[in-house]
Amino acid sequence: MTSDKEKGKNGGDGGNTDKRGFASMDEEKQREIASKGGKAAHEKGTAHEFDSEEAREAGRKGGETVSKDREHMADIGRKGGESVSKDKEHMSEIGRKGGKSSHGGDKDE
């Protein structure tokens, strides 16, 4: 028989107590519920609406958070480099400019 200590906080048989309620739902279900709540708040007139300064600050914070993930940023850069390098004409132009620059040519061409 399972002791009370082994059962965990939610009364289960030692199951995961980290995710209960809303947190235990799959992402799609959470989004659906959150969307309904947001729509209801807007209809009621109690929803928070960001002014441009708040939106700017939120974007800055989000950007800082994302850019801390070095692996993610490297992946973005790699994908960008792969995409650009598919444009042969563009890459040839870059090579020509680089060659002129490194041999004392006009840098503004």
Side-chain angles (χ1 to χ4, degrees):
M1 181 166 177
T2 307
S3 72
D4 286 344
K5 283 187 177 183
E6 291 173 321
K7 285 185 179 181
K9 294 176 185 173
N10 63 358
D13 290 328
N16 185 357
T17 59
D18 291 341
K19 290 188 173 183
R20 298 183 296 176
F22 192 76
S24 69
M25 297 176 193
D26 62 59
E27 266 188 55
E28 192 170 320
K29 185 69 174 173
Q30 288 181 356
R31 288 179 195 270
E32 182 184 322
I33 293 170
S35 176
K36 287 179 182 178
K39 288 175 183 175
H42 278 282
E43 286 177 15
K44 191 176 174 185
T46 58
H48 179 77
E49 296 189 18
F50 286 92
D51 61 29
S52 62
E53 184 58 36
E54 285 177 308
R56 186 177 304 113
E57 181 70 9
R60 185 186 63 74
K61 286 181 179 180
E64 286 177 358
T65 301
V66 168
S67 64
K68 287 178 184 175
D69 183 346
R70 307 228 359 139
E71 187 176 323
H72 175 70
M73 296 305 290
D75 192 39
I76 290 171
R78 194 174 308 105
K79 286 180 181 176
E82 289 169 358
S83 177
V84 168
S85 66
K86 289 178 184 175
D87 183 347
K88 300 297 182 192
E89 180 60 34
H90 177 70
M91 295 307 290
S92 294
E93 185 179 329
I94 291 171
R96 281 191 300 276
K97 285 183 178 181
K100 288 178 182 178
S101 177
S102 66
H103 296 293
D106 188 0
K107 294 178 185 176
D108 292 337
E109 281 186 23

